[in-house]
Amino acid sequence: MYASTVRGLLVRGMLAGLIAGLFAFAVAYVVGEPPVRGSIAVEEAQAAQDAASAPSGAHAGHGGDAASGEAAEEEEEEVVSRPVQSTVGLATGVLVYGVALGGIAALAFSFALGRVGGFSPRATAALTAAGAFATVYLVPFLKYPATPPAVGNPDTIGQRTTLFFLMILLSVLLGIGAIILGRRLAPRLGNWNATLAASGGFILAVALAFAFLPANDDAVKPGFPAALLWEFRIASLAVQLVLWAVFAIVFGVLAQRLLAARADDAEATARQTAPAVG
């Protein structure tokens, strides 16, 4: 019975993630695409300026052949056109991301239900989504904010990616540790004080991680428009916020209905199997 319930929650979590992904895609396309296009325009303008300021000798002799070869190479590199990237590609990426995170969040919900207090399934779904948003995205975002494509040093992209995923791992582990600490302190301090103590410990540990992990000093090229960078980062934060908010609402409703139906079935079964009195 427990395995079938977890399976049902997993399916509903993936469905809720798919629905949340649709909303997130709409926000990403409407709010996120303009700063992406702006950053690409800045990059192209910088490339044109660098080409114009190149030594004149570079254009002599075989310069025409070299220029045409570079143009052909650029065309060959763009396997997928920009319109396809901003529509079909973006939708595919966001939907797959939503389904995957929805399934993982559903499993976390299955573990948390009844173990973090006497909350209803809807409230537990909201708490699970809020915790996932904070640990998986918000905390790493505060240390290593999102940047538009092609605005950082390409030589350090591997290092920056590693640091970002390391921050996600630390944030998730610290979040789990805070939950365990809160549960252990609750019998002595009470739920409210234990929650405050665990939250304070989590914030302190995150602050120490921020202090000791290196910064991404070359994540943004000098001279990149600050307003455009700020717009992109706000859009990235809005996409994630919409994704997790919609997931919390949809999954909370679906989980509540599933668990209520399973409880009714269990009660009916118990009545049928109960021995007759008298």
Side-chain angles (χ1 to χ4, degrees):
M1 187 66 173
Y2 178 77
S4 63
T5 301
V6 173
R7 191 183 310 113
L9 290 172
L10 176 61
V11 173
R12 284 159 178 78
M14 296 174 69
L15 176 60
L18 178 64
I19 297 173
L22 291 173
F23 282 85
F25 164 69
V27 175
Y29 183 77
V30 174
V31 180
E33 273 301 305
V36 171
R37 290 194 294 266
S39 66
I40 293 175
V42 170
E43 179 192 7
E44 292 176 348
Q46 183 63 43
Q49 182 179 358
D50 294 341
S53 60
S56 58
H59 300 283
H62 298 286
D65 295 337
S68 60
E70 291 177 359
E73 182 179 354
E74 290 180 358
E75 290 183 359
E76 292 177 0
E77 289 179 353
E78 191 177 7
V79 179
V80 181
S81 64
R82 178 59 195 155
V84 175
Q85 293 177 10
S86 62
T87 52
V88 178
L90 178 62
T92 302
V94 173
L95 293 179
V96 171
Y97 179 78
V99 170
L101 287 186
I104 295 174
L107 295 177
F109 168 89
S110 302
F111 176 80
L113 185 64
R115 292 184 173 92
V116 293
F119 297 105
S120 67
R122 288 186 182 182
T124 303
L127 291 174
T128 302
F133 169 74
T135 56
V136 175
Y137 184 79
L138 183 59
V139 170
F141 175 86
L142 294 176
K143 176 62 179 176
Y144 301 118
T147 55
V151 302
N153 185 355
D155 297 332
T156 61
I157 187 172
Q159 176 185 355
R160 288 185 278 121
T161 302
T162 301
L163 288 174
F164 179 74
F165 281 103
L166 176 61
M167 190 66 243
I168 293 178
L169 178 61
L170 285 175
S171 178
V172 172
L173 292 177
L174 291 174
I176 295 174
I179 294 174
I180 296 174
L181 178 63
R183 290 188 60 191
R184 292 186 176 181
L185 292 177
R188 287 183 292 173
L189 303 180
N191 290 333
W192 178 254
N193 292 331
T195 301
L196 291 178
S199 299
F202 175 76
I203 294 174
L204 177 61
V206 168
L208 291 175
F210 279 16
F212 284 100
L213 286 176
N216 280 342
D217 295 329
D218 57 352
V220 180
K221 294 178 181 178
F224 188 82
L228 186 60
L229 178 62
W230 178 254
E231 183 181 353
F232 176 83
R233 288 176 173 173
I234 291 297
S236 300
L237 186 61
V239 170
Q240 292 288 331
L241 186 60
V242 168
L243 176 72
W244 286 109
V246 173
F247 172 81
I249 295 172
V250 175
F251 181 69
V253 173
L254 296 178
Q256 182 84 33
R257 292 179 178 177
L258 173 66
L259 295 174
R262 292 296 169 86
D264 292 340
D265 293 342
E267 183 178 355
T269 302
R271 289 177 180 176
Q272 292 176 359
T273 57
V277 180

